[in-house]
Amino acid sequence: MGGYYQINDNNYISVDMNGRPLYETYPIYTSTYMNDQGKEEYIDTRNKSKDNGLYYSGNINYETKFPGLEATLFWGGQYSLFDKRVKSDIADTYYSLKETTTLGREQNYTVNAYSVKADYEQNFKNKLVWEIGGKVSTSYADTKMETVTEEVTLSHYTYNEHLYAGYTQFSGKLPYLSYSVGVRVETSHIRRGKEVAKENYTNYFPKASFSIPVTNSISLNLNYSKSVTRPNYSSSSQLEVYINPFYVISGNINLEPSITDEVSLNLQINKLFVGTSYYRKTNPIYFTTEYNDPNNLLSLIYSNYQKEEGTHVKFTLPVTYKFLTSTNTLTGIYNQVKDGAAVKFNTKPYLYYYSNNQFSLPAGYLFTLSGWGMTKRKEGVFQKNSLFIMDMALAKTFFGKLNCSLMVSDIFKGMKFNERFILNSIDSKGVFYADSRAVTLTLKYSFGKDRESNYKNQTIEENLYRMR
């Protein structure tokens, strides 16, 4: 939901608000076989969990233009909330002991995030544009966990983050070159828990982009950027999913951001796109396992690996022939994840492919068949299986106003993920299934003619993906 008001020719104000309730009930059933030095045990675990919560985000924009200066000033603010409450009733049945133990757990997790930013843009002669801006972000994450067995155990963890960022950028056009050069500076202040010392650090993120129009149908682009990816808040919390008495999936309060340097070169020849890139990442985030010997507990957690680097070569070709419109992408990937505590497997290149095909049929029907997949992947630390996913859809517009579409997702139930890695002397082999099959019927009716909207609004906080 949003609103927009044009104050005059040079000023406008707008707001945007969206939210959704969070509700999910899910059971986890686990059968466990354990052999400890010849002593066997069979355990059945039942975990009935229920999630309740709320997600909300709202922002306000204000922009004013200075026609005499050919300049624009923008400012905005945003507030976001993620609140989640998980209640779990857990029972473990031990067959050798012929007894059942019970466990009750309640986890409350709340994130409040605030952001304010201001941007100033100045246009000069010769199509030169200078931009300068700043942003302040503050977030508070709070996790409370209560576990009830024969006694009550309480746990409370807080995470506070303050980010201060400033940037400047120059862009322009020359007869045979378009360019953009800038830098962003970020200072972070982080406090993990109530008694842990604060972490303070500053990073610089330069970027540059150059575009050369070789001919009317051929262009060449060269890009470089340094960027940061921060973990989502729940991954760096104490939230925990109970699988069986010896295995849990949990957050990692020590997660650090990942820093990526990337350079790319792209060539566009009519409809054909050819691109290649190289990137290097420090502190990449992937799953790992940790074993707590005194508690005999294995945890699957997100963790920072030492580094990752890779090369991509991508080809994209749209094709139109009679009743067929097709877009096809093929990407060759060489990717390697490294860590001193992990066993390194052979690294080999693999392929990613995507194809979307639309068939214009008689009587105004449109049939779409799309698919994507990857060959087997060997990425240094990780070994992963191949994948193939296919979707299809049929659409038609009736009476010029009623659009009907029927879509079938993941026809062959291909979301099966095999993964192996050896880290901290633990050989982990996992098989994960995701049932994404769905049949979706969509009806859309148009009342009258569409009117062009003057609505303008931009998100202030670009890291909303962390609100989960």
Side-chain angles (χ1 to χ4, degrees):
M1 181 175 66
Y4 171 83
Y5 178 66
Q6 187 76 44
I7 302 171
N8 52 45
D9 291 342
N10 300 318
N11 297 268
Y12 81 82
I13 186 170
S14 69
V15 295
D16 181 82
M17 295 174 286
N18 66 85
R20 64 179 184 274
L22 307 173
Y23 179 79
E24 184 179 11
T25 301
Y26 53 92
I28 301 175
Y29 298 103
T30 310
S31 296
T32 305
Y33 166 75
M34 183 181 69
N35 189 320
D36 184 7
Q37 298 180 352
K39 183 180 179 181
E40 295 184 334
E41 181 64 84
Y42 293 89
I43 308 167
D44 282 342
T45 302
R46 184 202 68 220
N47 180 349
K48 292 185 176 180
S49 295
K50 180 169 65 175
D51 293 4
N52 288 284
L54 173 68
Y55 168 79
Y56 167 81
S57 185
N59 71 57
I60 182 171
N61 292 184
Y62 180 81
E63 183 180 280
T64 182
K65 295 181 180 180
F66 305 96
L69 299 175
E70 294 191 29
T72 302
L73 176 64
F74 171 90
W75 71 267
Q78 184 157 355
Y79 167 70
S80 301
L81 166 71
F82 185 90
D83 183 75
K84 183 178 182 180
R85 304 179 185 278
V86 184
K87 183 176 181 180
S88 303
D89 294 316
I90 303 164
D92 293 309
T93 301
Y94 295 79
Y95 282 84
S96 64
L97 302 177
K98 296 182 179 180
E99 67 177 19
T100 298
T101 61
T102 59
L103 171 70
R105 174 174 290 168
E106 289 190 16
Q107 301 179 86
N108 299 331
Y109 170 63
T110 304
V111 181
N112 289 278
Y114 309 83
S115 299
V116 178
K117 82 169 185 178
D119 294 309
Y120 178 79
E121 180 181 301
Q122 178 68 62
N123 290 269
F124 298 96
K125 295 181 179 180
N126 302 321
K127 299 181 180 180
L128 176 65
V129 179
W130 174 51
E131 298 173 65
I132 187 170
K135 177 184 170 185
V136 178
S137 299
T138 298
S139 58
Y140 303 92
D142 186 274
T143 308
K144 297 178 181 178
M145 181 165 62
E146 177 181 303
T147 304
V148 180
T149 52
E150 295 180 352
E151 59 183 21
V152 178
T153 303
L154 299 176
S155 175
H156 185 202
Y157 174 75
T158 59
Y159 176 89
N160 299 331
E161 180 181 274
H162 305 279
L163 303 178
Y164 306 91
Y167 84 96
T168 185
Q169 177 176 284
F170 287 92
S171 59
K173 290 185 179 181
L174 299 174
Y176 300 102
L177 176 69
S178 297
Y179 64 91
S180 174
V181 179
V183 63
R184 179 183 177 95
V185 183
E186 289 190 2
T187 297
S188 305
H189 301 287
I190 298 174
R191 187 181 185 95
R192 306 172 192 265
K194 294 183 177 180
E195 301 182 8
V196 179
K198 291 183 178 180
E199 304 171 28
N200 304 315
Y201 50 86
T202 298
N203 289 310
Y204 295 85
F205 302 102
K207 67 174 183 178
S209 177
F210 303 93
S211 178
I212 303 172
V214 181
T215 67
N216 291 334
S217 59
I218 302 175
S219 63
L220 186 67
N221 294 275
L222 176 64
N223 306 282
Y224 166 76
S225 66
K226 184 176 183 179
S227 60
V228 59
T229 303
R230 293 183 171 86
N232 66 63
Y233 294 106
S234 62
S235 296
S236 52
S237 72
Q238 287 185 323
L239 289 177
E240 188 175 276
V241 179
Y242 187 98
I243 304 300
N244 64 32
F246 316 105
Y247 184 47
V248 296
I249 302 174
S250 64
N252 182 358
I253 63 175
N254 297 312
L255 275 180
E256 298 289 345
S258 300
I259 306 294
T260 303
D261 287 273
E262 182 174 9
V263 60
S264 64
L265 179 64
N266 303 320
L267 178 64
Q268 186 81 42
I269 306 175
N270 293 319
K271 295 181 178 181
L272 173 65
F273 172 87
V274 181
T276 182
S277 64
Y278 168 79
Y279 77 94
R280 182 178 65 247
K281 183 181 295 187
T282 57
N283 293 327
I285 298 174
Y286 290 99
F287 271 121
T288 187
T289 51
E290 289 187 355
Y291 180 67
N292 186 317
D293 190 31
N295 295 328
N296 193 23
L297 184 66
L298 185 68
S299 299
L300 179 67
I301 64 172
Y302 278 112
S303 182
N304 291 110
Y305 286 68
Q306 288 181 350
K307 67 178 181 178
E308 177 182 356
E309 59 183 346
T311 302
H312 297 177
V313 179
K314 180 179 179 180
F315 300 87
T316 299
L317 180 62
V319 176
T320 301
Y321 179 74
K322 294 184 179 181
F323 59 86
L324 171 65
T325 301
S326 178
T327 300
N328 303 281
T329 296
L330 181 64
T331 306
I333 304 171
Y334 182 87
N335 188 54
Q336 186 172 212
V337 182
K338 300 178 180 179
D339 193 280
V343 174
K344 179 182 176 182
F345 299 114
N346 291 330
T347 303
K348 294 184 179 181
Y350 62 92
L351 294 176
Y352 166 84
Y353 49 90
Y354 168 81
S355 182
N356 181 283
N357 305 276
Q358 294 185 341
F359 301 86
S360 298
L361 304 179
Y365 286 93
L366 181 66
F367 177 71
T368 302
L369 185 66
S370 62
W372 65 273
M374 291 179 282
T375 58
K376 289 184 178 180
R377 291 153 287 165
K378 295 186 177 182
E379 302 175 294
V381 169
F382 297 101
Q383 290 184 338
K384 302 177 182 179
N385 64 309
S386 60
L387 290 171
F388 175 68
I389 311 298
M390 180 175 285
D391 308 321
M392 66 179 182
L394 183 66
K396 179 179 170 59
T397 300
F398 298 91
F399 316 115
K401 293 185 177 182
L402 178 61
N403 180 269
C404 303
S405 63
L406 179 66
M407 181 176 179
V408 183
S409 304
D410 194 7
I411 301 171
F412 301 114
K413 197 179 180 181
M415 289 287 190
K416 177 183 177 182
F417 303 90
N418 294 342
E419 183 177 84
R420 184 192 181 196
F421 59 92
I422 304 175
L423 184 69
N424 299 321
S425 302
I426 301 174
D427 190 347
S428 301
K429 299 178 182 178
V431 181
F432 307 93
Y433 297 90
D435 191 353
S436 61
R437 293 176 299 169
V439 178
T440 306
L441 176 63
T442 303
L443 302 176
K444 179 181 178 182
Y445 188 83
S446 299
F447 295 89
K449 295 182 179 180
D450 292 334
R451 297 177 59 186
E452 184 177 349
S453 173
N454 294 323
Y455 180 75
K456 298 178 183 179
N457 186 270
Q458 61 174 281
T459 300
I460 307 302
E461 180 53 69
E462 62 269 17
N463 293 318
L464 289 179
Y465 69 89
R466 302 178 65 194
M467 302 288 291
R468 53 191 176 94

